[in-house]
Amino acid sequence: MASTTFRALYDDDDLLMHAVKKLRSEKYHIEEVYTPFPVHGLDKAMGLADTRIAITSFLYGCLGLAVAITMMNYIMIQDWPQDIGGKPSFSYLENMPAFVPIMFEMTVFFAAHLMVITFYLRSKMWPFKKAENPDIRTTDDRFLVEVAVGNDEEALKELLLDTGAVEVQVPKK
Amino acid sequence: MKYTFSNRLKIGSYIAMGLGLVMLIAGFMNTPANVEEAKAMVAAAHSDGHGGHGGDAHADQTNAMASHDGEHTEEAAGHGEGHSASHDEHVYHQLKNRPWSALYVAAFFFFMISLGTLAFYAVNRAAQAGWAPLLFRVMEGITAYLVPGGIIVFVLLVLSVLHFNHMFTWMDAEVVAHDALLQGKQGYLNPTFFLIRAAIFLGGWIAYRQISRKLSLAQDKADDDSNFKKNFRWSAGFLVFYLISESMMSWDWIMSLNPHWFSTLFGWYVFASMFVSGITVIAMVTIYLKSKGYLQEVNDSHIHDLAKFMFGISIFWTYLWFSQFMLIWYANIPEEVTYFVTRIEHYKLPFFGMLALNFIFPLLVLMNSDYKRVNWFVIMTGIIILFGHYMDVFNMVMPATVGENWHLGIPEIGGILFFGGLFVFWTFTALTKEELMPKRNPFIEESRHFHY
């Protein structure tokens, strides 16, 4: 029965970091941490896996480059190879310098936008999404740790107050 | 900790210098003594190397002649016999130029590394970078080469002015007398003003290097930060002087090899090339010293930062290369485009090969954040980048001086070995002079704990 969680509130990010390390060393499971701003090193302290979003971005960039090349090769070289101001439309390579600005921009466009959309999907964010913060003060000046309760509720409460929590909530689920 | 020059490296640099010198001398011995010999050499090279297309090659030569520097444009206009004789003369000069150009390219390349390092050093001082102070002594060691390297380049320029070679066609009064364009540029391109400018540039760069080094060492012994603040002001002032002088230097020392051609972003282009080579050498020397147990406080994050700069400035270089190429290719104005026509016709592999070495390779290898922390990755990429930028200078100089009679042969490799050996010897000797870590730099603690 790990359905109940404790919510400990802190008013300082150094205390928070300390508490997270302590909880992890005591083998408690941290469900989630809410902070008003990025706390440097918190992901490392929580033991979160590295993000792979840069890898997706690289792949999206390759896709964008391929789209740009295919598109311009079809339009400018295959479909209607006109002589426009003496530019050599005989093959893609011969006229390539003229296509590079678009190849570059398409690569950046795909890499950036698809990565952002990936980020929204993976972190489940959209315009009419219901906000999930358990305590409204976490967007202003409080730091909140959600810890799964093990067998001993009292021991966890003791530990949390020990680490400097200003408040420990026991929500009903 | 003080650095002691390892014997193996010292002997290695002596061998490189000796071997390079022998190869350079062999290069000079191997030039033709007169026009007849030059003809024989070219004929032999063609029957050896290019087998079948001797006829094509000659047609190319004629085209290149017509566009090449306009030196013989009038003759080339149609008079068969006159053209043939002047063509042989032209080839003779190109073959005579080859060892000189090999010497000049290598001398300029290694000089440019230390000048690029100096610019990077000044930027870090002016920007009050918190990560860099741990590497300041390494940079100061590399910029020590500015003095001998600069003097050698200056001597080569003086020898050119004294007509020991024909690298700069505008220095030849005979050529200028028949060339309205060069006459128009005489106000700027004349030997006296040329040497005065070179002396001012070199004087300014070396002066800043010495002043900054002195203040940097004085800061270690001082009990306040006044030397540090003075150094900050000198660095900011130097950067202003450097950007102007570097740009003019690139017109003088490189662009004027093609005195009929001009490009407005050429100064930036040369700057990017020297900046990335300088940063690469800083990274390589740092990794070497760290591997020998010096610079123990330099951590992965410092290497990571240097590799990021290598990556970023490589792309900046490519951006400038492409901007210059694409603008000229697109408009295709005859007086500008000859520069690229001769290069694409006769230097196809070095011209496009260097683009792969300087752009695609660093782009793919150094994109991953983890790889930027792997020392041997940085060293391998560094070697590629340095070779690529040697080829960059080669591509800027050689087509103007030796035309299609280029090789990467004995004099070129000799030049690289000689100046490479001298560079290593001078840099590492300078590194032994002082403690490798600044003591009282206000940012040294931040730099020590730098973590990315």
Side-chain angles (χ1 to χ4, degrees):
Chain A
M1 282 294 284
S3 61
T4 48
T5 55
F6 275 6
R7 288 171 184 164
L9 279 137
Y10 296 85
D11 57 2
D12 185 278
D13 50 338
D14 285 338
L15 282 180
L16 173 78
M17 287 290 286
H18 177 70
V20 166
K21 282 173 191 157
K22 183 93 181 159
L23 285 166
R24 294 240 314 150
S25 70
E26 305 266 328
K27 303 272 187 271
Y28 280 101
H29 178 68
I30 298 171
E31 300 274 349
E32 192 63 274
V33 177
Y34 296 85
T35 63
F37 53 78
V39 177
H40 188 76
L42 184 59
D43 53 338
K44 292 263 184 330
M46 289 171 71
L48 298 181
D50 280 345
T51 172
R52 287 169 293 180
I53 201 151
I55 299 168
T56 67
S57 181
F58 177 76
L59 296 176
Y60 295 144
C62 294
L63 177 69
L65 184 64
V67 167
I69 292 172
T70 316
M71 174 184 78
M72 286 184 293
N73 184 50
Y74 175 70
I75 297 172
M76 303 300 290
I77 309 295
Q78 305 300 330
D79 189 37
W80 197 359
Q82 272 196 108
D83 182 342
I84 303 164
K87 283 276 163 291
S89 302
F90 309 110
S91 73
Y92 192 79
L93 209 56
E94 272 174 284
N95 210 3
M96 199 191 76
F99 302 143
V100 166
I102 295 157
M103 287 155 66
F104 171 76
E105 293 294 350
M106 291 283 270
T107 308
V108 175
F109 179 86
F110 273 65
H113 288 83
L114 291 180
M115 177 176 77
V116 167
I117 293 169
T118 305
F119 169 71
Y120 286 153
L121 291 176
R122 289 291 289 139
S123 50
K124 302 194 179 67
M125 294 209 303
W126 58 87
F128 300 103
K129 157 122 179 158
K130 199 174 174 313
E132 283 174 355
N133 57 328
D135 191 310
I136 199 148
R137 290 170 295 172
T138 58
T139 62
D140 184 14
D141 63 348
R142 288 294 148 95
F143 304 82
L144 189 150
V145 185
E146 270 186 357
V147 199
V149 178
N151 304 320
D152 196 344
E153 293 196 1
E154 277 311 305
L156 175 58
K157 201 164 184 175
E158 195 77 3
L159 180 67
L160 288 173
L161 289 171
D162 233 31
T163 55
V166 287
E167 193 179 322
V168 177
Q169 301 172 352
V170 187
K172 302 266 183 312
K173 267 218 170 159
Chain B
M1 198 189 307
K2 264 196 170 176
Y3 172 66
T4 36
F5 202 159
S6 94
N7 259 330
R8 273 168 66 192
L9 193 63
K10 196 181 254 174
I11 292 167
S13 71
Y14 286 144
I15 293 174
M17 275 191 274
L19 200 62
L21 202 59
V22 170
M23 287 166 91
L24 277 171
I25 291 168
F28 277 100
M29 306 280 269
N30 206 22
T31 52
N34 52 47
V35 177
E36 295 310 309
E37 266 183 46
K39 272 168 85 173
M41 277 173 75
V42 172
H46 274 281
S47 62
D48 281 357
H50 304 286
H53 58 86
D56 290 350
H58 192 77
D60 282 353
Q61 280 171 4
T62 319
N63 287 336
M65 278 292 301
S67 57
H68 186 86
D69 286 352
E71 215 176 309
H72 305 286
T73 319
E74 286 142 55
E75 294 97 310
H79 316 291
E81 299 126 49
H83 167 65
S84 170
S86 78
H87 172 72
D88 292 339
E89 172 90 19
H90 190 66
V91 169
Y92 167 64
H93 282 315
Q94 291 186 335
L95 291 176
K96 289 288 268 187
N97 268 341
R98 191 181 152 206
W100 282 102
S101 311
L103 189 65
Y104 186 69
V105 170
F108 180 78
F109 175 69
F110 284 98
F111 170 75
M112 153 179 127
I113 289 175
S114 72
L115 187 58
T117 304
L118 188 70
F120 189 68
Y121 171 81
V123 167
N124 276 300
R125 280 210 176 271
Q128 306 201 351
W131 67 282
L134 214 50
L135 304 175
F136 276 169
R137 287 291 137 78
V138 176
M139 298 185 206
E140 286 164 10
I142 296 169
T143 55
Y145 179 74
L146 213 56
V147 181
I151 290 170
I152 291 172
V153 170
F154 190 73
V155 167
L156 286 176
L157 296 177
V158 171
L159 290 179
S160 297
V161 167
L162 297 176
H163 302 295
F164 279 85
N165 59 58
H166 285 85
M167 288 202 299
F168 297 87
T169 45
W170 59 266
M171 288 177 184
D172 193 335
E174 189 69 14
V175 173
V176 177
H178 293 98
D179 193 317
L181 268 172
L182 290 188
Q183 284 162 20
K185 293 185 181 183
Q186 255 179 326
Y188 186 80
L189 284 184
N190 64 72
T192 325
F193 191 26
F194 178 80
L195 289 183
I196 291 172
R197 282 195 306 267
I200 292 173
F201 303 156
L202 284 166
W205 301 332
I206 291 173
Y208 165 70
R209 194 267 161 193
Q210 303 298 27
I211 290 167
S212 182
R213 166 79 164 179
K214 229 179 89 194
L215 288 170
S216 173
L217 295 178
Q219 175 65 27
D220 273 7
K221 299 192 180 71
D223 41 18
D224 62 359
D225 289 340
S226 62
N227 292 299
F228 176 80
K229 287 178 192 160
K230 270 187 216 153
N231 215 344
F232 168 78
R233 288 194 205 105
W234 275 107
S235 302
F238 164 75
L239 285 172
V240 176
F241 172 77
Y242 170 77
L243 280 181
I244 297 166
S245 57
E246 187 276 335
S247 195
M248 292 176 81
M249 175 277 281
S250 73
W251 311 335
D252 282 6
W253 298 0
I254 299 178
M255 199 155 79
S256 86
L257 291 162
N258 303 279
H260 281 189
W261 180 77
F262 49 86
S263 161
T264 42
L265 60 69
F266 197 72
W268 274 109
Y269 173 68
V270 174
F271 162 75
S273 201
M274 68 167 66
F275 207 48
V276 70
S277 311
I279 294 165
T280 304
V281 171
I282 297 171
M284 290 167 86
V285 173
T286 305
I287 290 173
Y288 172 77
L289 290 176
K290 192 171 150 60
S291 77
K292 293 287 166 199
Y294 305 95
L295 294 177
Q296 277 168 351
E297 294 192 88
V298 170
N299 57 37
D300 284 356
S301 296
H302 294 99
I303 305 296
H304 189 140
D305 258 31
L306 285 167
K308 269 191 284 188
F309 271 110
M310 282 160 68
F311 175 78
I313 309 294
S314 282
I315 288 167
F316 177 62
W317 172 89
T318 315
Y319 165 66
L320 293 174
W321 178 88
F322 181 72
S323 301
Q324 178 168 278
F325 174 74
M326 195 264 239
L327 283 182
I328 290 174
W329 172 87
Y330 211 112
N332 205 18
I333 299 171
E335 69 247 38
E336 287 180 353
V337 85
T338 52
Y339 182 84
F340 288 113
V341 169
T342 50
R343 275 156 185 80
I344 291 173
E345 237 170 60
H346 304 302
Y347 289 73
K348 203 167 227 132
L349 182 64
F351 187 68
F352 292 110
M354 114 189 141
L355 197 61
L357 295 178
N358 289 342
F359 172 58
I360 298 173
F361 207 88
L363 177 82
L364 294 178
V365 174
L366 291 182
M367 192 184 296
N368 190 318
S369 186
D370 295 332
Y371 292 174
K372 287 193 270 253
R373 293 161 176 271
V374 181
N375 287 351
W376 67 268
F377 249 99
V378 177
I379 293 277
M380 286 305 296
T381 321
I383 291 169
I384 303 259
I385 289 176
L386 286 183
F387 179 63
H389 284 282
Y390 173 82
M391 288 316 295
D392 186 19
V393 180
F394 186 89
N395 275 312
M396 288 193 274
V397 172
M398 289 292 180
T401 55
V402 303
E404 65 222 76
N405 296 301
W406 68 273
H407 299 278
L408 256 184
I410 288 170
E412 287 80 10
I413 294 169
I416 295 174
L417 283 177
F418 177 74
F419 286 101
L422 185 65
F423 181 84
V424 167
F425 177 74
W426 210 278
T427 300
F428 284 90
T429 306
L431 285 173
T432 60
K433 298 267 167 67
E434 294 294 335
E435 290 284 319
L436 278 178
M437 204 178 63
K439 278 199 258 331
R440 285 205 70 259
N441 187 304
F443 292 107
I444 194 72
E445 274 312 305
E446 183 179 342
S447 181
R448 247 184 222 155
H449 299 118
F450 173 65
H451 166 76
Y452 168 74

